[in-house]
Amino acid sequence: MVRYSKLPFRELVRKYNVDIAYTPMILADVFKNSEMARETDYSTNEADDPVVVQFAASNGVDLAAAAEMVAPFAGGIDLNCGCPQKWAIQEHIGSYLMSDPEAVRDMVKTMKGRVNIPCSIKIRVHPDLKETYEFVKRAESVGVDFLTVHGRTRSQKSTEPVNFDGIKLVKETASVPVIANGSIFSNEDAEEMYNKTGVNGVMSARGLLQNPAFFAGYEVPPWECIEEYVRLALAYGTNHFIFHHHLMYMFEDIMSNAERKTFNTLSSIPAILDHLESNWGLDVTKLV
């Protein structure tokens, strides 16, 4: 997730049966070259374990340098080959890399030569699954430790069905653990994924944004989950944009349309807190 899985949110979801948490996608070249980026893009603590730091990169030099910087403070490093946003494809990162398996192989090899923690890649399926098979085999040939596969191509919309057969092919092809991603919004979705593909684990992004507690069996975010996010976000100094958008996602299915229109226009953290105090019974004395 770009921007949204920073430390406060990772700490929150770990309270609700999440076993491994990922950072947002971080640009390796910027992280390598900018002290400001290193200070703002990644923070962690002893409780943030295991955490996988996910980088976007177009070459092994940038990726390996960035990976080496965070390796002492991470449980794993992931190369994002799945981001479908146009700007990422234009920069030859994210899902652009699905058309350049040799570059990915070389990046994984270079990264593996510089760090001693698990290194993974997050991929998408190809329209022709033979390409996906070859992609996985190239990555395995240089020692990739595990794979996460999103069951859509880079051109498919998130509303289109997940390709279970494509994910199953990756699982049957790979000799390393495989995690499946795509339309995981509930434990029932997770069970369906396990049953149809045989994967070793499932990853959720949009599902957890909307309901950080669903792996613990909640159909909608319980109030105590939302309240805990508010506490954590304020304690860690989360900016208004991220704070507001996380709450917008969490309230999406539980606020009325009229209230949501008002809530979504709030332009400061104090305004958000006032709204939650007036309309949801937030006790600000518990936030300290």
Side-chain angles (χ1 to χ4, degrees):
M1 291 184 284
V2 177
R3 290 191 294 266
Y4 292 115
S5 54
K6 289 181 177 288
L7 181 58
F9 189 70
R10 297 198 302 271
E11 187 167 329
L12 178 71
V13 296
R14 290 184 194 279
K15 298 174 184 287
Y16 293 96
N17 291 355
V18 166
D19 297 311
I20 302 172
Y22 279 57
T23 69
M25 185 180 77
I26 299 169
L27 299 177
D29 58 344
V30 177
F31 191 87
K32 179 192 75 169
N33 294 321
S34 168
E35 183 176 352
M36 181 178 292
R38 292 192 291 275
E39 291 177 353
T40 59
D41 286 351
Y42 181 52
S43 58
T44 188
N45 58 31
E46 290 183 358
D48 189 30
D49 180 51
V51 59
V52 177
V53 179
Q54 185 182 84
F55 285 113
S58 61
N59 64 81
V61 173
D62 289 339
L63 177 62
E68 197 169 35
M69 289 176 175
V70 301
F73 315 103
I77 308 291
D78 183 72
L79 171 63
N80 183 300
C81 305
C83 179
Q85 296 184 39
K86 289 182 179 179
W87 69 267
I89 294 172
Q90 290 170 353
E91 294 291 327
H92 290 191
I93 60 176
S95 63
Y96 171 87
L97 296 173
M98 294 307 301
S99 61
D100 197 349
E102 282 300 307
V104 172
R105 184 189 71 84
D106 291 345
M107 281 192 275
V108 172
K109 182 178 180 180
T110 303
M111 175 171 58
K112 289 281 294 182
R114 295 275 288 276
V115 300
N116 293 314
I117 59 174
C119 297
S120 64
I121 56 175
K122 184 175 187 294
I123 67 173
R124 286 178 173 260
V125 295
H126 297 83
D128 181 353
L129 292 178
K130 291 179 182 178
E131 291 185 56
T132 309
Y133 173 88
E134 293 296 334
F135 197 101
V136 169
K137 284 303 181 185
R138 280 185 173 89
E140 280 197 306
S141 73
V142 290
V144 74
D145 293 291
F146 65 98
L147 301 160
T148 301
V149 55
H150 186 111
R152 297 183 181 91
T153 68
R154 73 182 187 187
S155 62
Q156 285 184 292
K157 297 179 180 179
S158 61
T159 53
E160 296 184 58
V162 167
N163 185 340
F164 290 108
D165 289 337
I167 296 172
K168 184 178 180 181
L169 173 70
V170 173
K171 172 56 184 171
E172 293 175 346
T173 297
S175 59
V176 297
V178 174
I179 299 170
N181 177 229
S183 294
I184 305 294
F185 290 93
S186 66
N187 280 330
E188 290 73 23
D189 293 335
E191 286 300 321
E192 181 183 24
M193 182 67 76
Y194 282 125
N195 292 336
K196 289 185 175 181
T197 66
V199 291
N200 303 97
V202 296
M203 170 188 282
S204 176
R206 291 179 298 130
L208 283 176
L209 283 176
Q210 293 177 9
N211 181 5
F214 86 72
F215 278 126
Y218 293 91
E219 293 185 3
V220 296
W223 169 247
E224 58 267 25
C225 172
I226 297 173
E227 188 176 44
E228 179 65 3
Y229 174 71
V230 171
R231 186 188 70 80
L232 289 168
L234 295 178
Y236 284 114
T238 303
N239 65 49
H240 167 261
F241 180 88
I242 298 295
F243 181 66
H244 195 194
H245 278 72
H246 267 300
L247 291 172
M248 287 162 62
Y249 278 117
M250 292 182 206
F251 278 117
E252 186 173 342
D253 293 328
I254 53 180
M255 266 187 183
S256 67
N257 289 337
E259 183 184 0
R260 195 162 61 245
K261 287 180 181 179
T262 298
F263 185 80
N264 290 359
T265 64
L266 299 176
S267 59
S268 69
I269 289 177
I272 294 169
L273 297 179
D274 285 346
H275 183 97
L276 296 179
E277 190 174 15
S278 300
N279 295 275
W280 291 84
L282 177 70
D283 185 351
V284 293
T285 64
K286 292 182 179 180
L287 303 179
V288 180

